[in-house]
Amino acid sequence: MFNALVLEQEEGKTLSSVKTLELSDLPDEEVLVEVSYSSLNYKDGLAVTGTGKIVHKFPMVPGIDLAGVVKESRSPDYQPGDQVIMTGWSVGERYWGGYSQYARIKPEWLVKMPEGMDAAKAMSIGTAGLTAMLCVMALEESGITPDRGTVVVTGAAGGVGSVAVAILSQLGYTVAAVTGRESTHEYLRGLGASELLSRTEMAEPARPLEKQRWAGGIDTVGDTMLARVLAETDYRGTVAACGLAGGYKLPTTVMPFILRNVRLQGVDSVMCPVDIRTTAWNRLLTDLPDNALGEIANVIGLSDVPQAAADIVAGKIQGRTLVDPNK
Ligand code: NDP
């Protein structure tokens, strides 16, 4: 018997409750994992609160991330005792996820825990941190080095944004952080941001081209803010876009692309191939300072998830939230 947060639907409303389940209730996948930690991402917030169509079938155990120890395995690639990480692959949306003491997972969705990392650190990072690392790698791949100038990060006090600020700063980039919350300024400076910009100012609709300010950008917000970042990006700069916290539209023009050779690089962590994921997890071990993670992460139990989910959707969460299903 073990505990899991279960989502059910009643008259079109999503209801969540902590339930006691048996191992035979879990889907029949090859690897049984005892979950040490999961985490709370924006998408988990949408799933648990029933905002947006994230969950494809009910009942659902949400939680798009998990880290833990293999208990049983029918796959030759994993043995009992192996430490593993799972993020993405529509787990917590189509397949039962990490807000549970146990989960059964397909072996091809697992990544071996990098040497020197543990489940708590992995889930302080989670999908949000992995996405931040993939965004930084996208900037590097397009030649954006620290000497090129300032990199702007939007939604900076959120999960993806916080980790992006910390990694960029560790790698020697000058970072400008865009936030809607003045209360997070000290936190963002602590992570390494040297310039703080207001969300209101950066969400103002831009002209097709504005004064060049950014060597690169990591955008978690979308809509007019991404359009402004593009209009302000330097000649041959790159913007990595991964989120839509401010909206899914992109009211821009071709001008930044055809006159300034600006590159817009999409970043997805959900279906990201395993070799790139493994590289990113190993990079996170070295490029994300432990003291930054201490600042970033709070720990909650399963029964705290519904409130935290409402808070992340309302934009009230700072940094990363770990979920301890054994708490
Ligand atoms: P968080 O809620 O932790 O952070 C989002 C941040 O965006 C908030 O903290 C806030 O930052 C800012 N924000 C919120 N609402 C608005 C708004 N209306 N206008 C402008 N800014 C706003 O979420 P995550 O960091 O987990 O995720 C960020 C985005 O990235 C989400 O859209 C998520 O779906 C997406 N994502 C995409 C992934 C991918 O694979 N492509 C993977 C993970 C996340 P502040 O308070 O500093 O202003």
Side-chain angles (χ1 to χ4, degrees), residues 40-43 46 64 127-132 134-135 153-162 177-182 184 188 197-199 203 219-222 225 241-247 266-271 311-320:
L40 180 77
N41 296 279
Y42 189 76
K43 199 187 260 178
L46 296 177
I64 67 171
T127 284
L130 174 66
T131 307
L134 292 170
C135 287
V153 177
T154 68
V160 178
S162 296
V178 182
T179 180
R181 293 178 283 175
E182 270 190 38
T184 65
L188 288 167
L197 301 161
S198 96
R199 184 196 293 179
D219 179 68
T220 72
V221 170
M225 195 168 312
C242 70
L244 74 179
V267 172
D268 166 65
S269 65
V270 177
M271 305 305 285
D311 287 346
I312 200 166
V313 172
K316 291 188 194 157
I317 296 265
Q318 174 178 305
R320 295 279 299 146

Side-chain angles (χ1 to χ4, degrees), residues 239-316:
V239 180
C242 70
L244 74 179
Y248 65 87
K249 292 188 177 152
L250 180 51
T252 188
T253 71
V254 296
M255 295 308 197
F257 311 113
I258 66 171
L259 294 181
R260 291 201 180 143
N261 211 122
V262 166
R263 192 185 297 191
L264 175 59
Q265 177 63 56
V267 172
D268 166 65
S269 65
V270 177
M271 305 305 285
C272 175
V274 170
D275 56 335
I276 300 173
R277 271 173 205 261
T278 307
T279 303
W281 278 109
N282 283 296
R283 288 277 314 263
L284 281 157
L285 191 61
T286 49
D287 297 348
L288 179 59
D290 276 341
N291 59 349
L293 274 176
E295 289 279 324
I296 288 170
N298 308 304
V299 185
I300 61 171
L302 288 180
S303 57
D304 305 317
V305 168
Q307 182 58 53
D311 287 346
I312 200 166
V313 172
K316 291 188 194 157

Side-chain angles (χ1 to χ4, degrees), residues 30 43 50-51 62 67 76 104 108 124 140 151 159 170 183 202 217-218 235 260 270 280 321:
E30 285 175 68
K43 199 187 260 178
T51 319
R104 279 196 211 274
E108 58 269 30
S124 309
E140 289 173 340
V151 174
Q170 168 84 358
S183 58
M202 288 300 288
I218 293 182
Y235 190 82
R260 291 201 180 143
V270 177
T321 302

